[in-house]
Amino acid sequence: MALKIALVHDHLTQEGGAEKVLRVLHEIFPAAPIFTLIYNPKTVGQDFAAKDIRTSFLQNIPGAKTKYQWLLPLMPAATESYNLADYDVVLSSSSALAKGVITQPRTLHVCYCHTPTRYLWSDTHKYIEELSYNRLVKKAMPIVLNRLRSWDRLAADRVDKFIANSETVRQRIQKYYNKPSEVIHPPVETKKFYISKNIGNYYLAGGRLVPYKRFDVIIEAFNRLGLPLKIFGEGRDFEKLKERAKPNIKFLGAVSFDELRELYSQCLAYLHPQEEDFGITAVEAMASGRPVIAYKAGGALETVVPGLSGEFFDEQIWEELGDKIIRFQPEKYNPEQIKKYAEQFDTENFKTKIRNFVQSSLEQKII
């Protein structure tokens, strides 16, 4: 008799690394429905259009698809509202609340954790500082977050097995949830990227243009260096960053996959100034044979090898990055060696590891 498996995701309202992971999890378990708080098909592309998406009661609240952040106090109750009684395995993909689902005693709950909820744990003070809400709401947020933090800690105890997407996240899970986890790096479609014979005269950066990605550091450095820089992606900081940038910096906005592959393959180097849980775009650049200049923290420590796949800078300040770029010699890097190194993070390796983890976890639960 076939196992009944369900996938649970925080919310499907954007296209990011977590959504790429969810798409591959569904490829592994194609019959599994996807439970999520809110689904906005307009902002997540066509990848999920034909899939069995089951939303919470938050979906029916006016404005929920675009202003879902305002519904934060309701999200724990909405997460607990999913009826998962019929499933043998629940696999949650969580950087927030999805791990808090309620399952039957016989059900195996595996959580693929992108990170313990950032705004409740590692980044809570920065989160409050960066809120764009009015002063009254901002003052009330610590109380709301305190209650959510207690719920989140209890929710972690409902998980049978944790998978961390990096060693950095494994350490956070141990610290904040006091739970062990196994590291399985996120999937990267390395075979879809290629090495170009022609290298352009530009550096590249990209992703969601939000504060923690630290695009401000890149812009400050390139404003002073005057070197060509291309930035792909969209986000709430798009206009603010564009206003600060000099003409040598080009903002490309959203790009197609073919455009992205070409941008990666022809750049002098890819810039990664943020502390990421893993950092999929950096690995995509490596899969294109290009070196990465990364801030020495987070997931980059597990993907960037100095002298082989890139270089590090030590502080998130423009002076450090600028000095590294001035001294950078892209001709010293071998594109074939970089691409071969990146292949360890390929999607097929991820699929094999997830299948094996679920199977061994089931066997342990039965025993």
Side-chain angles (χ1 to χ4, degrees):
M1 185 176 176
L3 290 171
K4 292 193 67 177
I5 299 174
L7 301 176
V8 184
H9 191 69
D10 294 319
H11 42 71
L12 275 171
T13 55
Q14 64 182 14
E15 289 188 275
E19 286 67 40
K20 289 180 180 179
V21 171
L22 178 63
R23 178 172 54 77
V24 177
L25 290 175
H26 196 270
E27 289 175 4
I28 302 170
F29 306 110
I34 298 171
F35 291 81
T36 190
L37 293 174
I38 298 163
Y39 172 46
N40 187 349
K42 294 181 179 179
T43 54
V44 293
Q46 296 300 309
D47 281 347
F48 299 96
K51 294 176 174 52
D52 182 2
I53 308 292
R54 304 182 188 184
T55 56
S56 73
F57 61 81
L58 299 182
Q59 182 80 7
N60 300 318
I61 297 177
K65 292 179 183 178
T66 55
K67 302 292 184 182
Y68 59 90
Q69 295 91 338
W70 286 94
L71 303 175
L72 187 58
L74 300 176
M75 288 183 182
T79 299
E80 292 176 349
S81 70
Y82 306 137
N83 185 355
L84 301 170
D86 294 336
Y87 296 96
D88 303 298
V89 178
V90 170
L91 181 51
S92 59
S93 161
S94 179
S95 59
L97 309 180
K99 63 185 163 293
V101 293
I102 297 174
T103 60
Q104 295 295 304
R106 65 175 178 79
T107 302
L108 171 68
H109 179 186
V110 175
C111 176
Y112 188 90
C113 186
H114 305 281
T115 182
T117 316
R118 279 179 175 270
Y119 55 81
L120 297 180
W121 300 104
S122 56
D123 293 353
T124 186
H125 298 293
K126 188 185 296 185
Y127 174 77
I128 293 171
E129 287 173 12
E130 293 174 351
L131 284 173
S132 57
Y133 302 144
N134 64 51
R135 190 166 55 182
L136 187 62
V137 173
K138 210 166 184 176
K139 283 187 175 182
M141 280 308 293
I143 299 171
V144 174
L145 296 182
N146 176 264
R147 292 177 178 176
L148 281 172
R149 193 175 297 113
S150 298
W151 180 89
D152 191 68
R153 179 59 188 84
L154 290 171
D157 287 336
R158 301 173 187 174
V159 176
D160 295 308
K161 295 278 188 175
F162 271 104
I163 300 172
N165 79 349
S166 66
E167 176 60 26
T168 298
V169 170
R170 187 197 68 76
Q171 293 173 12
R172 289 182 198 158
I173 292 170
Q174 185 63 50
K175 177 177 178 63
Y176 298 123
Y177 298 152
N178 195 29
K179 301 271 275 188
S181 58
E182 181 173 317
V183 175
I184 299 179
H185 292 119
V188 182
E189 296 178 309
T190 61
K191 293 181 177 64
K192 291 187 177 181
F193 296 92
Y194 60 87
I195 296 172
S196 176
K197 295 179 181 179
N198 304 311
I199 303 302
N201 182 34
Y202 66 90
Y203 288 85
L204 181 68
R208 287 184 296 120
L209 305 186
V210 293
Y212 90 88
K213 300 278 190 180
R214 299 311 307 270
F215 288 98
D216 58 311
V217 174
I218 300 177
I219 287 171
E220 202 67 33
F222 277 79
N223 277 345
R224 286 168 166 77
L225 294 173
L227 297 172
L229 169 66
K230 295 181 180 182
I231 299 176
F232 64 85
E234 298 176 318
R236 71 182 193 186
D237 282 1
F238 184 91
E239 293 299 332
K240 183 168 67 174
L241 292 169
K242 195 173 181 180
E243 286 175 7
R244 292 177 59 178
K246 290 186 177 180
N248 57 300
I249 301 173
K250 294 184 178 180
F251 286 79
L252 307 177
V255 296
S256 69
F257 186 62
D258 286 342
E259 290 170 330
L260 179 63
R261 293 193 302 163
E262 183 176 340
L263 286 166
Y264 279 138
S265 68
Q266 296 183 11
C267 70
L268 292 168
Y270 184 76
L271 307 179
H272 184 83
Q274 67 269 36
E275 180 177 352
E276 288 281 14
D277 308 320
F278 176 69
I280 288 177
T281 57
V283 179
E284 289 177 342
M286 287 184 251
S288 307
R290 304 313 304 155
V292 175
I293 300 175
Y295 172 50
K296 194 175 183 179
L301 294 171
E302 297 166 60
T303 58
V304 178
V305 178
L308 172 63
S309 63
E311 299 179 14
F312 289 120
F313 63 99
D314 295 322
E315 291 185 72
Q316 285 178 309
I317 55 176
W318 73 264
E319 294 92 340
E320 279 277 337
L321 176 58
D323 181 69
K324 182 61 66 175
I325 290 169
I326 289 171
R327 300 170 187 273
F328 183 66
Q329 296 177 288
E331 65 276 6
K332 287 188 173 182
Y333 286 87
N334 184 313
E336 285 78 15
Q337 288 182 357
I338 298 174
K339 183 170 180 61
K340 185 176 181 180
Y341 168 77
E343 287 172 355
Q344 67 181 293
F345 303 106
D346 188 68
T347 298
E348 292 307 314
N349 291 340
F350 173 84
K351 288 180 177 180
T352 298
K353 290 176 181 179
I354 291 292
R355 287 192 191 99
N356 291 343
F357 186 91
V358 171
Q359 182 59 41
S360 65
S361 298
L362 275 170
E363 291 170 358
Q364 292 170 23
K365 191 172 180 66
I366 292 170
I367 291 170

